[in-house]
Amino acid sequence: MSRWVLHVDLDQFIAAVEVLRRPELRGKPVVVGGDGDPTKRGVVATASYEARAFGVHSGLPMRTALKRCPDAIFLPSDKEAYEAVSVDVMATLREFGTVEVLGWDEAFVDAGDDDPEGTARRIQRRVREATELECTVGIGENKLQAKLATGFGKPAGVATLTYATWFDVLGDRPTDALWGIGSKTAKKLAEMNIHTVHDLAATHPDTVAARFGPTIGPWLVRIARGVASARVTGEAWMARSRGKEKTFQQNLDDWAEVQAQVVALAHDVTREVVAEERPAVRVVVKVRYAPFFTSTHGHKLPEPTSDADAIAAAALVALDQFTDRRPVRLLGVRAEFGG
């Protein structure tokens, strides 16, 4: 008998929390991001399904969202409110077994070996009773399958993906349909004439290792075959990094000002690193040039540290890797933790 893994994903989580606080918004296009002013620069954090119907999605500039959906209700992000609701959701999921939290709005649940679909339906009912939120549940024989199954159950449904159905469902899809493969990796695979999940699964691991290395190469082939861990750890979720971003209402043309802003962001990030009580091992700087081209560079710290000056210095080293001095509209600094 299989031991099933469930992936629980809250539907339109942030927007749904805002609707709970403002019931009059139910059924209306809601966009959350920045300080809630769509005439300012900023990006969408999330959008309700009603807003998504107009092409509004996470990461879209707020001004573009306003053009696409001028009748939307725009709201500022409220991190504390979302975290509070997330705590209630995760506590509810623990009624069903071991829970591995992935973030505010998603987690794996070890469903045991009996009636995974029944368990999924019970989870949906309990989450609804406890929080008034809807969730989608993916079922799989491992975490990869469960995670991908969720996408086929949206919204508020239950979907199953197994070894037996893996290639029927995913075989003809592009490689970036897989959890863990982004557009850059997919592009490199395409250069090797590997375009679909089936193509990648049929490729010898050594061939992929020659391009991606002895660890990543075979791993890519494994996930294309639907192979992954089925162990739900139950360990407390720990952020892999802490970061801060700042969007400027007027472009920064002076690189000295860009450097000063990066230092300020690095100090802000350091406060979160200290609070986390985990030293940073790498610092990444993000620059978004006008009008909207984004690039990142990172720098590994000489040793793990929570020192503000060391993190700021590493951020400046990363910033020096940007050779383009075009006007800047957004800066971000992220401190990554080890292990």
Side-chain angles (χ1 to χ4, degrees):
M1 296 178 67
S2 294
R3 188 167 185 85
W4 298 98
V5 177
L6 305 186
H7 176 253
V8 182
D9 192 4
L10 277 296
D11 296 333
Q12 55 176 7
F13 175 65
I14 293 174
V17 172
E18 294 294 352
V19 170
L20 284 180
R21 301 203 291 178
R22 301 171 178 84
E24 68 276 10
L25 300 181
R26 190 173 302 280
K28 297 180 180 179
V30 175
V31 179
V32 181
D35 65 2
D37 185 348
T39 66
K40 292 182 179 179
R41 285 180 171 177
V43 297
V44 174
T46 195
S48 67
Y49 290 127
E50 292 81 5
R52 294 179 196 184
F54 290 86
V56 179
H57 54 79
S58 300
L60 189 74
M62 291 284 277
R63 289 173 177 171
T64 304
L66 179 61
K67 291 178 182 177
R68 292 185 180 181
C69 190
D71 294 329
I73 294 94
F74 289 85
L75 300 172
S77 296
D78 187 345
K79 178 182 176 182
E80 289 73 19
Y82 313 141
E83 287 179 339
V85 176
S86 177
V87 168
D88 292 340
V89 170
M90 300 308 161
T92 301
L93 295 183
R94 291 188 180 94
E95 298 173 10
F96 296 87
T98 304
V99 173
E100 183 177 331
V101 180
L102 298 182
W104 281 345
D105 60 348
E106 60 175 326
F108 289 116
V109 180
D110 185 337
D113 55 13
D114 183 42
D115 190 20
E117 184 165 344
T119 301
R121 300 293 182 188
R122 289 192 294 276
I123 285 174
Q124 289 178 318
R125 286 196 297 270
R126 279 293 296 125
V127 169
R128 193 181 303 117
E129 291 168 358
T131 66
E132 299 183 60
L133 296 174
E134 298 290 344
C135 64
T136 298
V137 183
I139 302 170
E141 294 177 86
N142 58 47
K143 291 193 284 191
L144 171 66
Q145 293 171 6
K147 169 77 172 179
L148 292 176
T150 308
F152 296 100
K154 287 284 184 180
V158 174
T160 301
L161 190 57
T162 67
Y163 285 110
T165 62
W166 180 261
F167 288 111
D168 288 340
V169 175
L170 291 170
D172 293 332
R173 291 178 179 265
T175 55
D176 58 6
L178 294 169
W179 183 34
I181 295 185
S183 58
K184 291 182 180 179
T185 299
K187 183 178 179 180
K188 292 178 182 178
L189 288 168
E191 292 170 357
M192 301 172 64
N193 201 32
I194 298 172
H195 301 282
T196 67
V197 172
H198 192 276
D199 290 343
L200 180 56
T203 304
H204 195 285
D206 290 347
T207 301
V208 186
R211 177 68 184 270
F212 293 91
T215 300
I216 299 298
W219 173 76
L220 290 171
V221 175
R222 284 197 301 275
I223 63 172
R225 296 172 179 174
V227 178
S229 171
R231 180 172 175 262
V232 178
T233 65
E235 297 172 0
W237 178 71
M238 300 181 74
R240 295 179 181 178
S241 64
R242 291 292 182 184
K244 292 285 186 181
E245 293 185 355
K246 184 174 182 179
T247 298
F248 303 98
Q249 298 308 311
Q250 300 294 326
N251 294 336
L252 299 184
D253 298 312
D254 183 350
W255 202 250
E257 178 62 17
V258 171
Q259 293 172 321
Q261 292 289 344
V262 164
V263 170
L265 285 168
H267 281 266
D268 286 345
V269 168
T270 300
R271 283 190 278 273
E272 295 199 4
V273 170
V274 171
E276 194 81 23
E277 297 184 346
R278 297 159 64 201
V281 299
R282 186 169 180 264
V283 178
V284 177
V285 173
K286 176 164 76 172
V287 174
R288 178 167 295 150
Y289 297 103
F292 209 77
F293 174 75
T294 306
S295 183
T296 61
H297 286 293
H299 180 70
K300 184 177 180 180
L301 289 155
E303 59 183 11
T305 184
S306 299
D307 180 75
D309 290 338
I311 290 174
L316 288 176
V317 172
L319 182 65
D320 281 344
Q321 297 178 58
F322 293 88
T323 57
D324 197 331
R325 295 296 189 264
R326 284 183 294 152
V328 171
R329 62 174 287 155
L330 175 146
L331 291 170
V333 174
R334 182 175 78 247
E336 297 180 347
F337 302 119

